[in-house]
Amino acid sequence: MSRTTASAHERSTATPSPDRTKPSTLRIAVARTILETRIYFRERDSVVFSFLFPVVLLGLFATVFGGGETVFGEATGGGVDFARYFLPGMVAAGIMLVSFQTLAIGIAVERDEGTLKRLRGTPMPPAAYFLGKVGMVLLTGLAQVALLLAVAAVAFDVPLPGDAGSWLRFAWVYLLGTAAGTVLGLAYSSVPSSARSASAVVLAPVLILQFISGVFFVFNDLPSWLQNVASVFPLKWLAQGMRSVFLPDRLEPMEVSGSWQLAPTALILSVWLVAGLLLCARTFRWGRKGDS
Amino acid sequence: MITTTSQAVRVRGLRKAYGDVTAVDALDLDVDHGEVVALLGPNGAGKTTTVEILEGYRHRDSGEVGVLGADPGRPEPGWRDRIGIVLQTSGGLDELTVDELVRHFRVYYPAPRDPDEVIAAVGLESKRRARARHLSGGQRRRLDVALGILGSPDLLFLDEPTTGFDPEARREFWSLISSLADGGTTIILTTHYLDEAEQLADRVGIITAGHILAMDSPARIGGRDRDDVVVRWLDEGEPHSATTDRPTALVTDLAARFGGEVPGLSVDRPTLEDVYLRLIGHDTRPDTQHDTGTGGHVDERPDDRSDGPTLEATR
C-alpha cells in the first residue's frame, strides 16, 4: 500500500520558481509563424500548387486569350482585356489556396504523422498553434497577392486602382475571405482520414469551386442553376468582391445581379467565418481518430 | 526540484476500455522520484494506453492517477513544463533541420536546456544542418529524444525509444538515459528489449492483459534471484548442464571431481527474458522444477543442443 496521503498530493501543486518565466503565448505564436512560413516555402507542393498556381494561371489566361480580345467589349463600350478581367478571380483563388487548401491538407498531414500529438505533449498553448497558422496564411497570402499584382501590372499592363477607397475595400474583402478560408481549412482538415488521401480529398472541392465561382470562366457564362450552387459557397463572393476592387465601375452592371453586392458579400463571408469557427471548436482533434 | 511528493507517479485501479475490449484493467503503479521504471509486455498488453493516460493524451474510464501530483486528465498550468515525452511513433517536421527544431521547441519551455548541449548529448552534432527527412531512423529517434529532454523535464516518458537502432546507437542511447537518470530525472520507459530494461531500469514492471503481473528490480523480478541456476561444464569435451537451486554446492562437487578447475564452467541465472516469458505464460526454459527439498536437487544431464536453455529458442 502507498504511504502517500491526500495532503501530500495537495502540496505537490507545481509552483514555478521565480527564475522560471513562462514564455508568452504571443512570443510562441510569432515563433510558430516563422516556423510555419519556413516550412511552407520549403515544401515544393505548397509553393507550386498554392503560392505560384494563381500567378501561372493568370499568365496562361492572359497569354492564351490575350490577342486584343476583351470581356464585355460591346456591352460596356470597350470592356476590359482578359488579364484584367481574370486578375480578381486569381486573387480570390489565391486566397482560397493559401488559406483553405494549405491548412486543410497541411493539418491533415500533421495530424496523421503525429506532429499535432507531439505538439500537444509540450507546454505550447493551443492558441499559439492556431495563431501561427493564421500568421503563416497572412504572410504567404500577402506575398502572393503582391506577386500577382506585380505580374499583372508589369507583364500584362493591368491598371491597378489608385484610390484609397478601392484599397480599403480590398483590405476588408481580403481579410474576411482569408479569415473564412483559414477557419474552414482548419475545420476541413478533419475530413481526410489519412495524410495519403488528404490532397485528393481537399483538391477536388477546391477545383470544382474554382470552376463554378467565376475564377476560370466568366461567371455570367455559367448556367443559372450552377450560379445558384456557387452562391452558397464563399469563393463566388470573394471573387465578386475582388472584381469590385479591380474592375472599373462601368463593369458593375455586367454582374449577374447587376451590382457588386458588397453587403451580401460581407454577410455571407461572415456567416462562413462563424460557421467555420464553431465547426473547429467542435471537431478539431490533436490525434488521429480514436486516439483518446 | 520545487515540489516533493512521495511519488512521481501514483496509479490506483486504472481502467480503460475501447468498446468491448478492456485495454487496462485495475492497474496500480507507483514510481518514485528519480527512479527509472521499465514497462514490459506483449503488444496489446496495455503499455502504451497506460503511458498515454499518464501523459494526458487519453482519458481513463476509472481509477486514480497522479503524475507529479496532478491529474493528467485535468493538467494544471505548468504541469507540461515538467514532463518530457518521446512518443512511440515519430514523423512530420521533415523540412526543418535539427538545429531549427531544437531551437524552436525551446521557445515552449520556461527553463529549457542549452540547445547545443542537447544536440551534443544525443550525438547529432554532425547532423545539425540536416533536415529531419534526411536523418536515418536511429538519428530521427535521437532527435525525438532531444526534443523530449529539451525542457529539462522532471519526468520523462520514453515509448519504445530504441526501436530500429543498431547496437552501437543503442549503447550510446543507454548512456544518455543513464546520465539523465543520474541527474535525477524520473524515467518511465516501455520497451520490447529486455536487455534495455535490465541495463536502464531500477525496477521492471511486466504488463499483460492490462494489469501489472510483476514488478521488481531486474535482478529479483519473478523470483529470479531465488530461481534455479543452470551450471554448464565440459566433461571429456562433451557439454553437460545441470539445473539447481544450490549452484555453489554443485560447483564445489564438480571442482572436487575434476580436481581443481572445471573445464568450460559457467553458472547462469535465468535471463530476464526467461523470467519474462515464464511470467507472461510462454515458458520455454526447460527443467525449472522447483524442488525445494533440503538437500536441493540437481538435475544433471548431457547437454542436448535442441533442448538447452538457449535464448535462441525463446526468440
Side-chain angles (χ1 to χ4, degrees):
Chain A
M1 274 315 285
S2 159
R3 283 165 281 107
T4 318
T5 60
S7 64
H9 271 281
E10 278 155 26
R11 261 188 282 116
S12 73
T13 313
T15 38
S17 59
D19 61 314
R20 292 194 158 202
T21 43
K22 191 142 178 81
S24 73
T25 300
L26 191 67
R27 189 178 155 218
I28 298 176
V30 169
R32 285 216 56 88
T33 298
I34 295 166
L35 191 83
E36 297 269 16
T37 308
R38 190 176 280 163
I39 294 172
Y40 177 92
F41 281 110
R42 281 185 190 172
E43 280 173 352
R44 201 179 42 212
D45 289 3
S46 59
V47 172
V48 173
F49 291 101
S50 79
F51 191 78
L52 294 178
F53 197 60
V55 182
V56 171
L57 274 185
L58 181 72
L60 268 177
F61 277 114
T63 310
V64 172
F65 303 111
E69 276 186 72
T70 57
V71 185
F72 301 125
E74 288 157 27
T76 64
V80 291
D81 63 27
F82 274 90
R84 188 173 185 188
Y85 185 81
F86 280 111
L87 176 63
M90 291 308 144
V91 171
I95 290 172
M96 181 170 68
L97 297 181
V98 163
S99 61
F100 178 83
Q101 177 178 302
T102 305
L103 293 187
I105 296 176
I107 297 172
V109 171
E110 284 186 322
R111 185 178 288 118
D112 198 41
E113 288 180 339
T115 305
L116 289 188
K117 188 174 182 179
R118 189 205 294 265
L119 290 174
R120 198 76 189 93
T122 72
M124 178 201 75
Y129 174 80
F130 297 116
L131 287 171
K133 292 288 185 199
V134 170
M136 180 267 284
V137 168
L138 282 175
L139 278 183
T140 56
L142 286 171
Q144 183 188 57
V145 166
L147 182 65
L148 253 177
L149 297 186
V151 168
V154 173
F156 304 108
D157 292 326
V158 175
L160 298 180
D163 60 306
S166 293
W167 288 110
L168 200 66
R169 188 186 296 168
F170 170 80
W172 75 253
V173 174
Y174 177 83
L175 287 176
L176 201 51
T178 300
T182 301
V183 295
L184 292 170
L186 282 164
Y188 196 81
S189 73
S190 298
V191 175
S193 54
S194 73
R196 198 174 285 269
S197 67
S199 294
V201 174
V202 175
L203 286 176
V206 165
L207 198 62
I208 291 170
L209 278 185
Q210 290 180 92
F211 269 104
I212 68 173
S213 299
V215 171
F216 295 158
F217 303 114
V218 178
F219 191 65
N220 308 50
D221 295 349
L222 294 169
S224 64
W225 69 268
L226 213 49
Q227 291 174 347
N228 291 336
V229 171
S231 300
V232 175
F233 297 99
L235 186 58
K236 180 258 178 190
W237 300 96
L238 196 49
Q240 190 171 314
M242 287 302 168
R243 285 201 293 276
S244 82
V245 172
F246 293 103
L247 296 187
D249 286 341
R250 61 193 155 83
L251 261 76
E252 182 167 0
M254 294 298 105
E255 289 295 320
V256 173
S257 66
S259 145
W260 298 130
Q261 294 181 296
L262 292 174
T265 299
L267 181 72
I268 287 164
L269 290 178
S270 301
V271 167
W272 276 102
L273 171 60
V274 172
L277 275 176
L278 293 175
L279 215 56
C280 281
R282 291 186 64 88
T283 60
F284 192 86
R285 286 177 282 108
W286 294 87
R288 273 170 287 223
K289 272 182 188 128
D291 262 7
S292 65
Chain B
M1 213 46 262
I2 330 127
T3 60
T4 42
T5 31
S6 51
Q7 288 137 318
V9 172
R10 182 177 191 273
V11 177
R12 288 293 174 276
L14 180 63
R15 240 191 77 84
K16 169 77 180 178
Y18 301 107
D20 295 339
V21 182
T22 304
V24 179
D25 193 7
L27 184 136
D28 294 347
L29 177 66
D30 291 285
V31 178
D32 287 334
H33 286 287
E35 205 180 10
V36 179
V37 164
L39 298 176
L40 306 174
N43 286 327
K47 296 189 302 289
T48 293
T49 298
T50 301
V51 168
E52 291 198 346
I53 289 170
L54 300 183
E55 291 165 342
Y57 281 122
R58 289 171 191 270
H59 302 294
R60 60 187 187 268
D61 294 339
S62 61
E64 234 182 274
V65 178
V67 176
L68 298 179
D71 180 347
R74 274 165 299 165
E76 49 204 78
W79 181 75
R80 287 218 173 271
D81 297 345
R82 305 170 59 203
I83 305 243
I85 296 175
V86 176
L87 292 165
Q88 192 178 109
T89 52
S90 64
L93 303 169
D94 283 349
E95 301 302 336
L96 297 168
T97 68
V98 170
D99 239 355
E100 287 167 340
L101 280 167
V102 170
R103 276 163 215 283
H104 174 75
F105 272 68
R106 273 186 100 231
V107 179
Y108 302 159
Y109 295 93
R113 277 181 222 269
D114 180 74
D116 298 322
E117 276 174 27
V118 169
I119 291 170
V122 299
L124 285 177
E125 288 131 310
S126 63
K127 293 285 167 187
R128 281 172 170 283
R129 295 188 205 299
R131 293 193 186 180
R133 75 156 66 249
H134 296 129
L135 298 180
S136 72
Q139 289 166 343
R140 230 191 138 108
R141 212 68 190 112
R142 282 186 271 165
L143 174 60
D144 291 336
V145 174
L147 300 181
I149 64 174
L150 203 52
S152 36
D154 297 338
L155 172 59
L156 177 63
F157 291 98
L158 299 165
D159 201 353
E160 298 185 10
T162 60
T163 304
F165 277 35
D166 60 45
E168 193 192 352
R170 177 168 293 130
R171 291 280 163 175
E172 283 170 12
F173 178 80
W174 289 352
S175 67
L176 166 65
I177 298 307
S178 298
S179 69
L180 289 172
D182 292 343
T185 308
T186 308
I187 295 171
I188 296 180
L189 161 89
T190 72
T191 183
H192 283 300
Y193 300 109
L194 297 154
D195 51 344
E196 184 162 292
E198 187 150 28
Q199 185 73 217
L200 295 177
D202 298 315
R203 283 190 304 144
V204 171
I206 294 177
I207 301 188
T208 48
H211 68 271
I212 293 194
L213 201 65
M215 182 124 194
D216 212 328
S217 68
R220 283 207 303 266
I221 191 158
R224 193 177 166 201
D225 54 328
R226 300 184 305 274
D227 216 333
D228 287 350
V229 170
V230 178
V231 179
R232 292 188 185 81
W233 69 96
L234 296 173
D235 198 348
E236 290 168 7
E238 285 294 303
H240 283 256
S241 75
T243 306
T244 174
D245 61 347
R246 300 190 58 188
T248 313
L250 175 58
V251 171
T252 312
D253 286 352
L254 287 170
R257 198 196 299 175
F258 288 98
E261 280 302 309
V262 183
L265 176 68
S266 75
V267 180
D268 295 315
R269 298 235 156 237
T271 63
L272 185 56
E273 185 153 328
D274 295 330
V275 174
Y276 168 80
L277 289 170
R278 188 180 76 218
L279 284 170
I280 66 164
H282 298 280
D283 190 358
T284 55
R285 192 166 170 262
D287 303 333
T288 42
Q289 304 138 10
H290 293 267
D291 183 347
T292 50
T294 44
H297 82 276
V298 175
D299 173 19
E300 187 184 335
R301 66 199 162 74
D303 211 355
D304 176 25
R305 211 168 268 280
S306 64
D307 200 17
T310 58
L311 280 183
E312 285 71 23
T314 65
R315 282 219 168 115

